[in-house]
Amino acid sequence: MIVDQSQETAYPSYLALDEILTPPLGGRPGGSGETLLTVALRAQGLWFEQLLRELDALQRGLDRGDGPGALRAVDRSLRILRALVAQLEVVEPLAAWELDGGGTAGPGSFDPAGFREAEAVLGRRDRRPPPEMSKFAHR
C-alpha cells in the first residue's frame, strides 16, 4: 500500500496544533495542566464564535418567519452552551501548582468575555457582570 505523505502532513498543518497549543498569554508551554487550560481556552473561543453565528441564524430565522430554522439554531446554541460548561468543569479542578505559575491565566482568572458578548446579543444591556459570574472575574 502506497501512502501519500502530503496528505499525512496536510491534516496536522491544517489543525495548526503547534500554534494552538502555545499558551494564550505567551511564555512556553508548561505541564499537562497548562496544556489542558490552553486547549480549553482555545476551544471556548471557537465555540463562542460559533454560538454567536447560531444566535445570528436564530435572529434571521425569526425575522423571516422560519420557525423550524430558528428552532434548529436554538437547539445548536443550547448544545454549544453545554459544551462550554463541560469545558469549565474539566479545567475547574486544576490546582494552582498544576499550572506554570508565571502569571498565566488560570481557572480563577477566567475571562467571561464570550459569555458577555452572547448576553449582549441576547439583549442584556447591563455592562456589570452578574453576581454569579464574580467568582470568574480577574483577580
Side-chain angles (χ1 to χ4, degrees):
M1 177 174 152
I2 298 175
V3 176
D4 181 0
Q5 290 190 346
S6 66
Q7 287 182 342
E8 277 184 36
T9 58
Y11 189 64
S13 269
Y14 169 74
L15 292 178
L17 292 177
D18 289 339
E19 292 85 13
I20 289 173
L21 293 176
T22 300
L25 298 178
R28 63 186 201 298
S32 65
E34 190 76 27
T35 302
L36 179 63
L37 179 63
T38 299
V39 167
L41 290 173
R42 302 290 183 171
Q44 283 177 356
L46 293 169
W47 280 123
F48 275 121
E49 183 62 33
Q50 186 60 36
L51 177 62
L52 293 173
R53 291 171 189 234
E54 295 301 336
L55 294 174
D56 185 54
L58 167 62
Q59 186 63 51
R60 285 192 324 267
L62 291 172
D63 289 345
R64 286 191 317 259
D66 178 13
L71 285 174
R72 284 190 300 275
V74 167
D75 181 59
R76 289 187 303 263
S77 297
L78 290 173
R79 291 170 190 267
I80 290 168
L81 288 169
R82 282 189 212 114
L84 286 163
V85 170
Q87 288 173 2
L88 289 174
E89 290 173 355
V90 169
V91 174
E92 185 178 27
L94 288 176
W97 57 266
E98 292 179 273
L99 301 171
D100 179 54
T104 59
S109 63
F110 171 73
D111 182 3
F115 282 111
R116 303 282 298 147
E117 192 169 351
E119 286 178 333
V121 167
L122 292 170
R124 183 181 174 110
R125 300 295 179 232
D126 186 356
R127 302 290 300 163
R128 291 172 289 133
E132 62 272 13
M133 294 300 288
S134 63
K135 70 179 179 179
F136 298 117
H138 282 287
R139 295 188 167 98

